[in-house]
Amino acid sequence: MNAAAKKIMQRIENLAKISEEPGQLTRTFVSTAMRRANDLVAKWMREAGMTVREDAIGNLIGRYPSKNSPTKTFLLGSHLDTVRDAGKFDGPLGVLIAIACVQHLHQEKIQLPFAIEVVGFADEEGVRYQSAYLGSKVLAGNFNPADLKRVDANGISMADAICNFGGNPEQFKNSRANLKQILGYTEVHIEQGPVLEKKNQAVGIVTAIAGQTRAKIIFTGRAGHAGTTPMSLRKDALCAAAEFILAVENCAKKISDLVATIGQIETKPGASNVIPATVILSLDVRHQSDPRRNAACEHLKTSAQKIAHKRKLKIFWELIQETAAVPCSTPLSNLLAQAARKHQPKISKLPSGAGHDAAVISKIAPVAMLFVRCKSGISHHPDESVKVEDVRVAINVMNDFLTAVAASRQSAD
Ligand code: HGY
Ligand code: MN
Ligand code: MN
């Protein structure tokens, strides 16, 4: 498995060179960079003995046949899109380890009592249209058609972008997974946190995926001359936003296990000698408990309204998307833990603060996730890194996991 792990590290480097922004890794939903990435990963899937297709939204899907039941299918995979100025491993590592597992079966001429489909999801991060999980939502059958009207920073609608990529929103219903066929989904992903490194463990089992709320907030005041408008007469949207940003931080610090982030801010008209009239903010709130997350969001909405009222500004609050917290499947996670114990004596079980396509696929199938240690827990940053020996452990675990799933199927049938 050393060679397979080394090959993955090489492929991670090759894939990381495919970016839409020079000098950094940014690969967003149905972009030309995503086209090049899908074409490269499709080549690797074919070399591993898979037939390859792209569904109507641009998910890349490799299929490895089963030895008997032509329909039962087990899903593996992760996402191929990235955040801006991303690390190399968030997403692609899970797709490449899944391909390596199929390659192992192909080389050993093994077919399992179910087909395997490796999915490279088209949009887990939601960078281009702020609405994440677009690919997995189409597979799970809960894509929101209203999202097709969203426009990106260049004014390109999601529908047009999908069609330009070769997809077809009219065909989304035919891209839904056949619920009777899917046995389960398992995703390998970097931990994006410090726990496994602290415990000196290569891999860990995910217990649950945090719920997340994404919102767009607009403070509207009044533009004015920076030199002639007295402070007492201003309706400065940026000062209101600043007060709100600190309110978000204070709220998150007070509620255990809650995290809240303002990742994007846009001010208009955006001139140094003009009082900002409009400020647009993104808000990302996460918690393992949905009631705690929802209560925090209600509190923040009230804070924003109070700040706007006090400063005589207008406030606009739009819920962009909400994903409930998802427990991983206990039976599937137990099979994964059993496989992991063959390669690592102590196995930790830990929640995921990050969102994953598994959270969406859990609507149609039992899901499990294997975390891989990453250096200092760094992620969504070019310094994201993973050790080749931890990749080797993850491949071994996943190979044994698939064998265990097959054995459990045989005993069930
Ligand atoms: O934002 C997240 O949790 C994930 O990286 N999309
Ligand atoms: Mn990810
Ligand atoms: Mn991510």
Side-chain angles (χ1 to χ4, degrees), residues 108-333:
E108 301 298 314
K109 297 191 177 20
I110 300 169
Q111 286 192 335
L112 300 176
F114 45 80
I116 294 175
E117 288 198 343
V118 176
V119 188
F121 286 108
D123 178 74
E124 188 274 342
E125 300 288 3
V127 167
R128 185 167 179 181
Y129 290 101
Q130 274 71 55
S131 180
Y133 308 126
L134 298 175
S136 39
K137 282 180 179 172
V138 164
L139 200 70
N142 54 15
F143 177 87
N144 177 0
D147 278 345
L148 290 167
K149 295 192 187 72
R150 287 181 181 282
V151 290
D152 68 7
N154 299 314
I156 302 170
S157 75
M158 188 188 293
D160 288 349
I162 291 167
C163 294
N164 296 340
F165 186 77
N168 178 359
E170 304 294 314
Q171 292 300 315
F172 281 3
K173 49 192 170 314
N174 299 330
S175 291
R176 292 183 58 162
N178 179 330
L179 306 192
K180 293 196 198 72
Q181 291 176 1
I182 307 298
L183 294 172
Y185 170 72
T186 297
E187 179 168 357
V188 179
H189 201 286
I190 52 171
E191 180 201 338
Q192 300 176 298
V195 172
L196 292 177
E197 187 174 62
K198 271 211 189 73
K199 292 176 175 252
N200 193 23
Q201 293 169 358
V203 296
I205 308 292
V206 177
T207 54
I209 300 167
Q212 61 175 269
T213 299
R214 293 193 182 189
K216 174 173 160 180
I217 297 125
I218 305 179
F219 285 97
T220 307
R222 191 179 54 224
H225 195 298
T228 59
T229 313
M231 293 310 285
S232 60
L233 298 180
R234 294 183 175 206
K235 291 189 177 183
D236 185 328
L238 189 51
C239 291
E243 193 176 341
F244 177 66
I245 291 167
L246 289 178
V248 168
E249 184 187 43
N250 291 335
C251 168
K253 282 182 173 172
K254 284 196 197 109
I255 301 173
S256 66
D257 297 329
L258 186 100
V259 285
T261 313
I262 305 251
Q264 289 170 299
I265 181 166
E266 185 187 351
T267 63
K268 295 178 181 171
S272 63
N273 59 350
V274 179
I275 301 165
T278 309
V279 171
I280 303 166
L281 301 173
S282 67
L283 175 66
D284 177 317
V285 181
R286 318 246 182 133
H287 201 285
Q288 300 292 334
S289 146
D290 290 341
R292 304 291 302 271
R293 170 172 54 86
N294 294 330
C297 288
E298 277 313 304
H299 170 77
L300 290 175
K301 195 170 181 177
T302 308
S303 305
Q305 287 160 345
K306 282 184 183 155
I307 290 167
H309 180 72
K310 181 183 70 178
R311 292 169 173 266
K312 301 190 180 56
L313 275 70
K314 283 209 247 59
I315 180 78
F316 169 82
W317 182 289
E318 180 189 1
L319 176 65
I320 300 288
Q321 90 167 28
E322 203 174 357
T323 314
V326 164
C328 291
S329 151
T330 305
L332 211 52
S333 301

Side-chain angles (χ1 to χ4, degrees), residues 78-79 81 89-92 124-125 187 189-190 192 354-357 369 379-380:
S78 190
H79 58 97
D81 66 309
F89 296 88
D90 173 5
E124 188 274 342
E125 300 288 3
E187 179 168 357
H189 201 286
I190 52 171
Q192 300 176 298
H356 302 284
D357 288 303
M369 285 194 73
S379 183
H380 286 189

